[in-house]
Amino acid sequence: MLAVTALAGPLLVAAAPVTSTGWASAGSLDVLIDNEHVVTGELAKCTADGPASARTDGGVTGDVASFGLGESGCGRSGEVAIAQASGHRFEASVLKRYGGPVITVRTFSAKCATSATGSGGEVTIGAVTGITVPAEIPPNDRIVIPGGPAGTALATVILNETVTPQPPDGSLVTHALHIVLFPQGGPASGDVYLGTAACDPYGKKKASLS
């Protein structure tokens, strides 16, 4: 099992008293394939405001992907928000119709927690087939799958993806795995996410620069 971490460091001071927030989900997909729109919504989604936990038995979305068992848990400890999600036995078969690989992930998880001024995140990824995963996964590690139109990519797979706003505000979204279909254009488009956790030390209220 590989474990990696990401941090959104001390950046801002809140303009007013706020409540930290967080949410997590086992995964989601939103893709357009041959004019068919396939959407799952966030699977097994929890939030720090409730529901505190969620579970999904997974399911198959045609020949696009299948999700196995997934669960999440969220909450607060004092001013700290915590969110985490995990899942098992994911398979993405969407690229097979275009001559690409079937990608499977045996286990995965994502979690985050806030601090007084920022957020930190961590993901784990178990056995993966269909792509070659490095022994140590750096943040935002990109794997390009060739075979798209005119030499473009069929997909880009991003491992240990960390998303922070610009300018930074202390919040963080992390995904264990993110598949982007035909990033330069092609017969399909959209995104598949595994293991998402998002935290914000300042909640939905605005913060100001110190």
Side-chain angles (χ1 to χ4, degrees):
M1 183 77 69
L2 302 174
V4 289
T5 60
L7 297 174
L11 297 165
L12 301 178
V13 174
V18 295
T19 300
S20 59
T21 60
W23 67 271
S25 82
S28 65
L29 67 81
D30 185 343
V31 301
L32 183 65
I33 301 175
D34 298 330
N35 296 318
E36 179 184 4
H37 193 194
V38 184
V39 182
T40 62
E42 300 291 348
L43 301 173
K45 182 179 180 180
C46 68
T47 76
D49 295 314
S53 63
R55 180 185 174 95
T56 177
D57 292 330
V60 178
T61 56
D63 60 353
V64 177
S66 64
F67 293 86
L69 177 68
E71 54 192 358
S72 66
C74 297
R76 290 191 183 90
S77 176
E79 297 180 355
V80 175
I82 302 169
Q84 56 188 353
S86 62
H88 307 265
R89 300 193 180 281
F90 167 81
E91 179 178 293
S93 53
V94 60
L95 297 176
K96 186 176 180 180
R97 69 173 74 186
Y98 307 111
V102 175
I103 300 172
T104 69
V105 182
R106 180 172 294 178
T107 59
F108 57 88
S109 69
K111 62 181 179 181
C112 66
T114 64
S115 66
T117 54
S119 305
E122 178 180 317
V123 306
T124 64
I125 302 173
V128 178
T129 66
I131 56 174
T132 301
V133 175
E136 298 292 334
I137 305 175
N140 299 309
D141 187 50
R142 291 176 176 266
I143 299 172
V144 176
I145 300 176
T152 60
L154 279 179
T156 298
V157 180
I158 309 169
L159 305 170
N160 184 24
E161 183 176 36
T162 302
V163 182
T164 55
Q166 295 298 325
D169 63 2
S171 66
L172 169 77
V173 181
T174 185
H175 308 287
L177 183 145
H178 175 194
I179 302 173
V180 185
L181 301 180
F182 292 93
Q184 289 87 38
S189 62
D191 304 272
V192 182
Y193 295 96
L194 289 186
T196 296
C199 287
D200 186 344
Y202 305 119
K204 296 181 180 179
K205 295 184 179 180
K206 294 181 179 180
S208 61
L209 291 171
S210 58

